[in-house]
Each structure stands twice: as structure tokens, then as C-alpha cells.
Amino acid sequence: MSALKNIIIGAGISGAVVARKIAEELNETVLVIDRKDHIAGNIYDYKDSKTGITIHKYGPHIFHTNLEEVWKFLSKFTEWHYFFLKPNVMIEGKAVTLPFNLTTLYEVFSYPMAKDLEIKLVNKYGYGVKVPILDLRNNDDDNLNFLAGYVYEHVFKNYTTKQWGLKPEEIDASVTARVPVYISHDNRYFQDKYQGIPLNGYTKMVEKILDHPNIKVRLNTDYKDVKGDFDRIIYTGAIDEFFNYKFGELPYRSLYFDVRTENKEYFQKAVVTNYPNEYDFTRITEHKYFLDEKSEKTVISIEYPQAFENGKNERYYPISNPENQALYEKYREEANNTKNLYFLGRLGDYKYYNMDLAVERALKFFEEEIK
Ligand code: FAD
Ligand code: UDP
């Protein structure tokens, strides 16, 4: 075993993937630390002791990707439960198909009206096309403008205001474009080639990634309390925190999850139901659907968005806008000036990565900057 010593801060998916590559391909030792009492970061799941249901502690996680390399890499560490996310959105008290698509048209409008809108949409944009809501609002057809206004009001405006504290047009357009109006009868949330949930859960998958003789994991350990010299420092926590906020704090959104056990077999029809216009929460997740688990009871998480407050709650979403990006770049420049110090991951890169992009970034980082 080489004496070269690496420390990776964060046992989330980003840190785990890099640790594995260094341990396996360079045969170097890696210490992975996390201040939480568990591995897997935000993709952590656990079995609820009362119902046996697998709970996604930090919100609903569905793996989906078109990146074959990423799918193949993770498939070395898990089998998959094949799963397509088909969420609902509550519109005027009725749970209907999300993303808003041609099926949804027929669920919310009368048949002739839905038919008319379907023909107009297909003629204007083409079947199978995804149109971000902010683009749909910019068209010159009265009927399509009515539709755009309807979807904006019933799906996007208040959900986005709750989630981000900002209106759709005040946040980076790529955020609402994640859930475009989909001119299709395909009711899946994602159309990626590879989709699923790790058959034995995300935590088990990360555990296997970290299971290598060159890797040591230390939990309940904050980087600021770690002593010792390391040849490489790879940090997947928040970059502003690492530098003691010397240029100011990078803003984030946070969440509070109200987890409840309900004394009935099923609570709702879909794994996730969004509530744009009712209540203060954004969505309810019913966990037993992920792995099709059976129980007489069911566990749900009600998700309340919050501002991130340092020391009080967790950083979940970087807030992408030019001002925050400029602040992030200052930290990145500072990092570039320090030898053998690297940042990556959703917090280290300050990017709204899905799991697959976090893995892709970790794999590329290893190839391009470490190997
Ligand atoms: P993290 O998982 O945040 O890991 C960073 C780790 O570093 C944490 O465990 C933290 O405790 C640790 N750490 C930080 N600072 C320190 C320190 N100073 N000392 C020690 N440890 C430290 N992606 C999808 O692909 N599909 C989905 O359906 C999906 N749903 C999501 C739903 C929600 C609510 C959220 C918030 C995210 C979702 N994601 C989803 C994104 C996914 O969670 C991320 O892509 C992924 O978790 C990023 O992993 P990471 O390792 O970069 O970061
Ligand atoms: N969004 C919305 N209404 C919905 C679903 C999504 O307004 O019913 C917007 C909202 O701004 C949200 C963004 O689209 O933050 C991205 O949604 P996604 O489901 O990808 O969010 P995540 O799962 O990452 O929280």
C-alpha cells in the first residue's frame, strides 16, 4: 500500500466515488470523514424500524441518467429496482399528472377544449417536445397563452415562490426548465435511458463503494477538528465554509421534513404529490412506493422549504444567479491558488447537480486532476 495520504471531506456520493477511484486505481490510502453520523450524504436512506419501509431521509431520490459510464460505474455496486417516477400535482383539489403534459390537459379541461389545445400544441411545437413554462408564455396564440397562464398559475408560480422565496422569472431559467410542459402522453417525470432505485437502498450502494481496504471512514468528524498532514485534500462540503466565509456567505435553500407514520396502507396515489397552491409545504412523498414495499402502515414526508440558516439547518439547494455565481468564483479562485486542495460536489462546486452529474463530475475529476 502506498504511503500517499488523501483526505476526503464528505461521505456523500461525490466523496465516495473519488475515494474508490483513488483507492482502487492509484492504490493510495484515503481517509473519508463526515460530520454526520452516517455515510451517503443527502442520498442517505434507512429502514424504518416500525414498518420496515425504506425512508429517503433527505427527500425523494430517483436515479436517472443518459450517461452510460455513470450507470455502469454505479451498477458495479448495486442492483436496481427499475422505477419510473410518475408524480402528481394537486390542481384545484385534484391530483393530476406531472409534468404537465397532454394527459394532464384531459384531466383538467373538458374533452373538446383539451383536444383543441393538444392539436395547437402539437402543431406549434411538435409531438415529444419539452417547452419550459417561461417559453410557453412567450407565444402569439391566444389559446396557448391561456394555457401558459393556467399552467404558470396552477403549477409553477406558488410552488416556486415557496421553494425558492422567488418567482419563476426571478430565478435561473434552468430551474423551472427542469420540469417543462411536455407535449406527449408519456407520463414519466424523466425520459432518461437509465432510471431506478438501488435495490437495497442508496446507503448500501455507497457503503459498497466505500468498501475497499485502502479506504477508512470516520463519521461524526468535522474537518475543522482533524489534525494531520495530507498529500491531497478533497472537499465536498460548502466552499464558503472552508474559507471561513471570507468573501461572504453563499446562499442556499433548505428544507424541513415532517415525517409521519399513517395508520393506513396507502396515503396517496403517487410516490410524490406536489401542492403548488395549497398549504405551506411543497410536496408529500410516500416512501413505500420507491421499492414497492408492503406494510399495513405507510410513512410520508411532508416537505417545507426554508431559508438556509447556518448552524440551524442543512444546505440543500445552491441558488443559481449571476451574483451568487460571482461570489462562488471568488472562492474557486482562492482554491485554485492552493496546491493539492480540490473542491467538488453539489456544495463544493455550488451547482444544482442531480446524482448522475455528481458522479460524472467525480469520475472526470479523478481522470483529469488526480490520475
Ligand atoms: P452531499 O450529499 O451533500 O455530501 C456532502 C457531505 O459532506 C455531507 O454528508 C456533509 O455532512 C459532509 N460535510 C460537509 N462539510 C463537512 C465538514 N466540514 N466536515 C465533515 N463533513 C462535512 N438527485 C437525483 O439525481 N435525483 C433525485 O431525485 C434527487 N432528489 C433530490 C431531492 C432533494 C430534496 C435534494 C436536496 C437533492 C436531490 N437530488 C437528487 C440531488 C442529490 O441529493 C445530490 O446530487 C447528491 O446528494 C450530491 O452529493 P454530494 O456528495 O455532492 O453532496
Ligand atoms: N416546479 C414547480 N412546480 C412543480 C414542480 C416543480 O414550480 O410542481 C419548479 C420549482 O421551481 C422547482 C423546479 O421546478 O424548484 C425544479 O423542480 P424539481 O422537481 O426538479 O425539484 P427538486 O426535486 O430538485 O426539488
Side-chain angles (χ1 to χ4, degrees):
M1 195 191 291
S2 150
L4 250 183
K5 284 189 296 177
N6 300 275
I7 184 166
I8 297 184
I9 295 89
I13 187 85
S14 302
V17 170
V18 176
R20 181 74 186 205
K21 296 295 272 186
I22 294 176
E24 202 161 64
E25 296 192 24
L26 303 183
N27 194 25
E28 293 177 11
T29 57
V30 188
L31 172 64
V32 179
I33 64 160
D34 205 299
R35 61 183 168 204
K36 293 198 170 112
D37 62 2
H38 59 72
I39 60 167
N42 278 345
I43 69 175
Y44 174 72
D45 56 17
Y46 64 94
K47 273 214 186 271
D48 174 50
S49 60
K50 291 202 187 96
T51 60
I53 296 169
T54 306
I55 312 297
H56 290 194
K57 180 165 183 183
Y58 303 102
H61 278 78
I62 297 90
F63 185 80
H64 59 100
T65 192
N66 282 317
L67 300 166
E68 187 183 347
E69 178 199 19
V70 169
W71 177 257
K72 280 198 164 150
F73 178 84
L74 293 179
S75 299
K76 290 193 279 186
F77 305 100
T78 188
E79 287 179 57
W80 298 95
H81 169 70
Y82 298 112
F83 180 91
F84 295 127
L85 176 62
K86 291 183 183 174
N88 280 167
V89 60
M90 202 56 92
I91 296 185
E92 291 170 327
K94 188 174 167 195
V96 298
T97 302
L98 183 73
F100 198 101
N101 66 11
L102 299 180
T103 309
T104 327
L105 282 181
Y106 291 87
E107 291 170 327
V108 297
F109 299 127
S110 68
Y111 182 85
M113 191 170 170
K115 190 83 199 153
D116 191 41
L117 287 167
E118 172 171 13
I119 292 167
K120 284 222 153 89
L121 281 169
V122 173
N123 283 345
K124 169 132 196 190
Y125 296 100
Y127 187 84
V129 171
K130 295 177 174 177
V131 188
I133 183 62
L134 297 178
D135 294 351
L136 191 66
R137 294 181 89 203
N138 285 326
N139 74 69
D140 40 29
D141 181 280
D142 283 350
N143 293 25
L144 293 185
N145 265 337
F146 158 79
L147 176 67
Y150 182 91
V151 178
Y152 180 82
E153 288 293 328
H154 287 88
V155 180
F156 286 94
K157 191 176 83 182
N158 292 331
Y159 187 105
T160 301
T161 306
K162 280 193 263 188
Q163 174 71 8
W164 299 97
L166 297 165
K167 293 218 183 85
E169 50 281 9
E170 290 168 343
I171 57 170
D172 194 283
S174 65
V175 173
T176 46
R178 285 167 63 93
V179 191
V181 173
Y182 188 24
I183 303 172
S184 173
H185 286 280
D186 174 352
N187 295 342
R188 298 171 304 166
Y189 207 54
F190 310 114
Q191 277 66 46
D192 303 55
K193 178 169 178 186
Y194 304 105
Q195 307 191 34
I197 312 283
L199 189 62
N200 298 308
Y202 288 98
T203 306
K204 273 274 175 287
M205 177 180 80
V206 174
E207 196 179 294
K208 284 214 168 154
I209 299 174
L210 290 168
D211 182 17
H212 188 280
N214 283 343
I215 300 176
K216 203 188 271 178
V217 178
R218 212 186 285 159
L219 299 176
N220 302 305
T221 306
D222 198 303
Y223 179 62
K224 68 178 176 355
D225 302 322
V226 173
K227 310 258 177 311
D229 284 333
F230 296 92
D231 298 298
R232 280 192 207 99
I233 300 170
I234 298 168
Y235 197 89
T236 72
I239 192 167
D240 56 336
E241 180 180 344
F242 181 91
F243 288 112
N244 258 319
Y245 312 102
K246 65 192 282 187
F247 303 122
E249 279 195 33
L250 280 166
Y252 284 90
R253 286 300 277 179
S254 189
L255 299 168
Y256 165 71
F257 298 99
D258 179 8
V259 183
R260 297 186 184 185
T261 303
E262 296 285 321
N263 210 358
K264 50 170 95 162
E265 196 179 359
Y266 287 97
F267 177 83
Q268 60 190 24
K269 288 220 168 67
V271 60
V272 175
T273 302
N274 288 6
Y275 287 81
N277 288 318
E278 302 84 6
Y279 310 112
D280 298 330
F281 53 81
T282 47
R283 57 186 174 189
I284 299 182
T285 297
E286 185 164 4
H287 296 268
K288 70 192 326 181
Y289 281 112
F290 288 121
L291 293 168
D292 196 18
E293 291 168 322
K294 307 292 176 207
S295 166
E296 283 172 9
K297 297 186 179 186
T298 193
V299 182
I300 59 167
S301 295
I302 308 174
E303 203 166 318
Y304 292 85
Q306 301 180 328
F308 166 69
E309 288 182 75
N310 209 344
K312 287 202 182 147
N313 52 16
E314 296 279 338
R315 298 171 170 94
Y316 288 123
Y317 297 89
I319 304 174
S320 177
N321 66 30
E323 194 187 328
N324 297 348
Q325 190 58 26
L327 178 55
Y328 162 76
E329 295 296 343
K330 282 191 184 177
Y331 284 112
R332 173 60 77 182
E333 207 166 295
E334 191 79 358
N336 291 344
N337 293 334
T338 316
K339 224 174 147 240
N340 298 326
L341 172 64
Y342 307 91
F343 289 86
L344 74 156
R346 186 141 147 155
L347 305 175
D349 285 340
Y350 198 65
K351 278 220 177 93
Y352 193 170
Y353 287 140
N354 285 332
M355 286 178 272
D356 65 329
L357 294 188
V359 173
E360 183 195 36
R361 161 81 168 122
L363 293 174
K364 274 205 178 126
F365 164 75
F366 174 74
E367 292 300 326
E368 291 167 11
E369 298 184 56
I370 301 292
K371 203 165 155 185

